[in-house]
């Protein structure tokens, strides 16, 4: 089986290595393809997204040419869909000459306001579950169902408006939940998650199986969960395994995902976003 990864970060955003270091590691370990998908520029100050977007795109293209005989490199971007702040992916795609996009939701605006910056957004990602808890209380007054509903509805709007190549970590809202606020087999939660995944099917998009929560010790399952993947078989949604790498050795941390998918005889597992 070909070794590939299309959800890859570098020190242009919150990654821990240069683009070249990521490429050299991939080549040394027999990868046939590597896609870069840095966190997109955002219209407010933060510590995790690309600030030199043109420089990022130039360097990826230069490495693509330099390593063309050893590995296929693709220029992509993980674009955050944030209502009233970043809703249209087209300008970033055109500016960068992107080959593919990963559409993701990490930041959920407080209800009934137009967000102006971090202070108005619920960050559901990151290394600290306390940030998740604080945002839930501040913006949703602890109403987890309302917050989760806002997350999945935001994903649905992103898919319908932008049709990204790949849907990133589709149920990451569960990462910092840790079975404290809800259980992932509760009908209301599954209904929301499956509504989003059925939309992926209807639009003919790819869904990633993201392993980062497992190897970082933040979540016991993939995104989407094994339970959801089993239910996705009926739609034959194309899946692509992603390590969401932020450092070179992360590229290898597939955490048994391919074996799991083979074991359940999942009908459509890709090793390239090109299909």
């Amino acid at each position: 089986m070909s070794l590939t990864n299309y959800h890859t970060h570098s020190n242009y955003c919150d990654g821990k290595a240069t683009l070249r270091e990521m490429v050299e590691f991939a080549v040394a370990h027999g990868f046939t393809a590597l896609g870069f998908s840095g966190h997109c520029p955002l219209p407010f100050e933060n510590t995790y997204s690309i600030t030199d977007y043109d420089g990022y795109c130039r360097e990826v293209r230069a490495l693509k040419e330099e390593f063309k005989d050893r590995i296929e490199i693709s220029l992509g971007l993980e674009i955050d869909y944030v209502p009233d702040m970043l809703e249209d992916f087209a300008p970033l795609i055109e500016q960068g000459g992107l080959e593919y996009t990963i559409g993701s939701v990490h930041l959920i605006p407080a209800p009934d306001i137009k967000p102006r910056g971090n202070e108005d957004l619920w960050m559901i990602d990151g290394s600290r579950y306390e940030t998740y808890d604080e945002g839930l209380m501040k913006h949703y007054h602890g109403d987890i169902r309302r917050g989760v509903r806002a997350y999945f509805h935001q994903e649905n709007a992103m898919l319908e408006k932008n049709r990204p190549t790949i849907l990133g970590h589709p149920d990451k809202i569960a990462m910092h939940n840790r079975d404290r606020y809800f259980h992932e087999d509760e009908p209301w939660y599954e209904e929301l998650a499956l509504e989003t995944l059925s939309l992926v099917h209807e639009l003919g998009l790819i869904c990633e199986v993201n392993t980062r929560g497992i190897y970082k010790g933040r979540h016991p399952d993939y995104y989407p969960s094994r339970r959801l993947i089993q239910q996705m078989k009926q739609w034959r949604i194309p899946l692509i395994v992603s390590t969401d790498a932020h450092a070179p050795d992360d590229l290898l941390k597939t955490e048994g995902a391919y074996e799991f998918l083979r074991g359940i005889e999942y009908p459509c597992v890709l090793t390239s976003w090109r299909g």
Side-chain angles (χ1 to χ4, degrees):
M1 182 187 70
S2 298
L3 288 174
T4 67
N5 194 73
Y6 290 97
H7 194 152
T8 312
H9 298 282
S10 73
N11 63 357
Y12 271 95
C13 53
D14 61 348
K16 308 303 181 187
T18 65
L19 295 170
R20 178 175 293 276
E21 288 169 336
M22 299 298 283
V23 171
E24 290 176 344
F25 184 94
V27 169
H29 288 81
F31 279 66
T32 59
L34 183 66
F36 284 106
S37 56
H39 289 293
C40 72
L42 289 168
F44 56 87
E45 187 173 343
N46 64 82
T47 60
Y48 44 81
S49 63
I50 293 172
T51 55
D52 183 6
Y53 183 46
D54 290 336
Y56 162 79
C57 294
R58 280 196 303 271
E59 187 171 349
V60 173
R61 284 193 290 266
L63 290 167
K64 180 183 180 78
E65 175 63 23
E66 180 182 345
F67 285 85
K68 64 183 179 182
D69 295 328
R70 286 176 280 177
I71 189 171
E72 180 184 86
I73 295 174
S74 298
L75 172 59
L77 194 66
E78 182 177 17
I79 307 182
D80 243 297
Y81 181 83
V82 188
D84 295 313
M85 299 188 82
L86 204 170
E87 294 189 354
D88 185 1
F89 292 1
L92 286 169
I93 294 170
E94 182 177 353
Q95 179 184 346
L98 301 181
E99 297 175 84
Y100 74 102
T101 58
I102 297 176
S104 296
V105 171
H106 302 91
L107 302 156
I108 308 170
D112 305 321
I113 68 165
K114 184 174 182 177
R116 295 164 297 175
N118 266 326
E119 68 277 7
D120 298 323
L121 300 167
W122 178 24
M123 166 61 89
I124 59 96
D125 198 4
S127 60
R128 298 178 65 252
Y129 72 88
E130 292 90 349
T131 302
Y132 180 97
D133 293 356
E134 290 162 7
L136 177 63
M137 289 303 300
K138 176 182 177 181
H139 300 305
Y140 286 88
H141 306 290
D143 187 342
I144 190 64
R145 292 198 184 197
R146 189 179 187 191
V148 169
R149 190 178 303 113
Y151 170 83
F152 283 114
H153 287 177
Q154 192 167 318
E155 283 197 327
N156 296 347
M158 173 184 70
L159 295 173
E160 291 174 333
K161 291 180 180 180
N162 293 285
R163 303 195 179 194
T165 315
I166 301 167
L167 172 59
H169 41 63
D171 62 339
K172 198 166 191 177
I173 190 69
M175 180 175 76
H176 286 313
N177 171 55
R178 303 186 180 193
D179 282 334
R180 295 174 301 142
Y181 298 107
F182 63 89
H183 298 290
E184 292 174 56
D185 61 355
E186 291 180 35
W188 69 270
Y189 179 82
E190 283 200 341
E191 181 179 343
L192 288 167
L194 290 172
E195 179 184 4
T196 295
L197 294 168
S198 69
L199 186 56
V200 174
H201 165 63
E202 290 170 19
L203 297 174
L205 307 177
I206 299 168
C207 180
E208 74 170 3
V209 177
N210 187 303
T211 66
R212 186 169 174 80
I214 296 176
Y215 68 79
K216 293 297 289 185
R218 296 173 186 162
H219 190 61
D221 212 339
Y222 311 121
Y223 318 113
S225 68
R226 293 173 177 88
R227 182 182 178 89
L228 291 173
I229 292 171
Q230 289 273 17
Q231 296 178 71
M232 291 164 66
K233 287 175 65 176
Q234 63 181 310
W235 294 313
R236 301 178 63 88
I237 296 172
L239 295 180
I240 191 163
V241 174
S242 155
T243 68
D244 199 344
H246 285 62
D249 60 351
D250 289 351
L251 291 169
L252 299 174
K253 297 176 181 177
T254 54
E255 304 300 314
Y258 287 109
E259 293 80 0
F260 167 72
L261 293 170
R262 283 197 297 269
I264 66 169
E265 298 182 340
Y266 195 88
C268 190
V269 180
L270 307 179
T271 55
S272 170
W273 62 268
R274 301 177 194 273

